[in-house]
Amino acid sequence: MASRPFAAIDSVVTWLDEKFHLNGKTVCDLGCGPGLYTERYAQLGALVCGLDFSTNSIEYAKLSAVEKDLSVSYAVANYLTDPLPQDQDLVTMIYCDLCPLSPAQRQILLGKVRASLNHDGLFALQ
Ligand SMILES: C[S@@+](CC[C@H](N)C(=O)[O-])C[C@H]1O[C@@H](n2cnc3c(N)ncnc32)[C@H](O)[C@@H]1O
């Protein structure tokens, strides 16, 4: 319920892959939920980590990745207060999650994302 239909997810991931060529890239998905995007990034050859502050979601995502034999690193973390992984080629934040943040929270988040990105890394919001 807190994500888009699979067809929409597939279309977003296809667009991201066309734009950013995910194979071999380091990609971090903020607020990854149950891993609907992270798994697709991994299937396209990205080196993926997913962060979410929901323990249930991360436990589900970890199990799902094992069942599908996908290599995805997951962590329970609050992207506003916890350290983000470094040296990322791409950071994604999907499902309008920037919108409910206050201006101060947005500034914190954008600073943290910037610090987590490689020199030519990109932040994709969708
Ligand atoms: C609307 S859901 C979208 C999930 C996923 N991006 C998707 O589209 O399938 C938002 C997710 O962000 C997580 N989230 C919200 N605020 C967060 C925060 N400050 N730190 C980490 N995760 C957060 C929630 O637990 C939830 O899984």
Side-chain angles (χ1 to χ4, degrees), residues 90-111:
L90 177 66
V91 172
T92 61
M93 193 176 189
I94 310 280
Y95 214 172
C96 308
D97 286 351
L98 190 73
C99 306
L101 299 181
S102 68
Q105 286 174 319
R106 288 181 189 186
Q107 199 147 11
I108 289 167
L109 178 74
L110 291 172

Side-chain angles (χ1 to χ4, degrees), residues 1 11 31 38 42 47 51 58 61 63 66-68 70 75 79 83-84 89 99 102 108 118 120 123:
M1 294 299 287
S11 138
T38 45
L47 310 168
L51 303 183
I58 291 298
L63 192 61
V66 168
E67 284 171 359
K68 292 173 183 156
L70 290 171
Y79 51 61
L84 301 185
D89 297 312
C99 306
S102 68
I108 289 167
N118 287 329
D120 54 355
F123 185 28

Side-chain angles (χ1 to χ4, degrees), residues 2-3 31-33 36-37 52-54 57 77-80 94-95 97:
S3 193
C32 64
L36 300 174
Y37 291 81
D52 203 291
F53 65 9
S54 161
S57 290
N78 183 331
Y79 51 61
L80 292 174
I94 310 280
Y95 214 172
D97 286 351

Side-chain angles (χ1 to χ4, degrees):
M1 294 299 287
S3 193
R4 298 193 168 97
F6 286 169
I9 295 172
D10 287 337
S11 138
V12 167
V13 174
T14 298
W15 182 85
L16 286 169
D17 192 35
E18 284 168 5
K19 276 273 185 214
F20 304 119
H21 310 292
L22 298 179
N23 188 22
K25 300 280 172 63
T26 49
V27 183
C28 178
D29 189 31
L30 302 180
C32 64
L36 300 174
Y37 291 81
T38 45
E39 289 186 351
R40 286 163 170 79
Y41 301 160
Q43 282 163 339
L44 290 165
L47 310 168
V48 191
C49 62
L51 303 183
D52 203 291
F53 65 9
S54 161
T55 306
N56 282 347
S57 290
I58 291 298
E59 279 176 5
Y60 179 99
K62 281 182 176 173
L63 192 61
S64 177
V66 168
E67 284 171 359
K68 292 173 183 156
D69 198 22
L70 290 171
S71 174
V72 183
S73 158
Y74 287 110
V76 175
N78 183 331
Y79 51 61
L80 292 174
T81 54
D82 290 317
L84 301 185
Q86 298 298 291
D87 301 321
Q88 299 302 299
D89 297 312
L90 177 66
V91 172
T92 61
M93 193 176 189
I94 310 280
Y95 214 172
C96 308
D97 286 351
L98 190 73
C99 306
L101 299 181
S102 68
Q105 286 174 319
R106 288 181 189 186
Q107 199 147 11
I108 289 167
L109 178 74
L110 291 172
K112 288 167 70 71
V113 169
R114 182 172 187 169
S116 80
L117 288 168
N118 287 329
H119 178 64
D120 54 355
L122 294 162
F123 185 28
L125 302 162
Q126 206 274 338

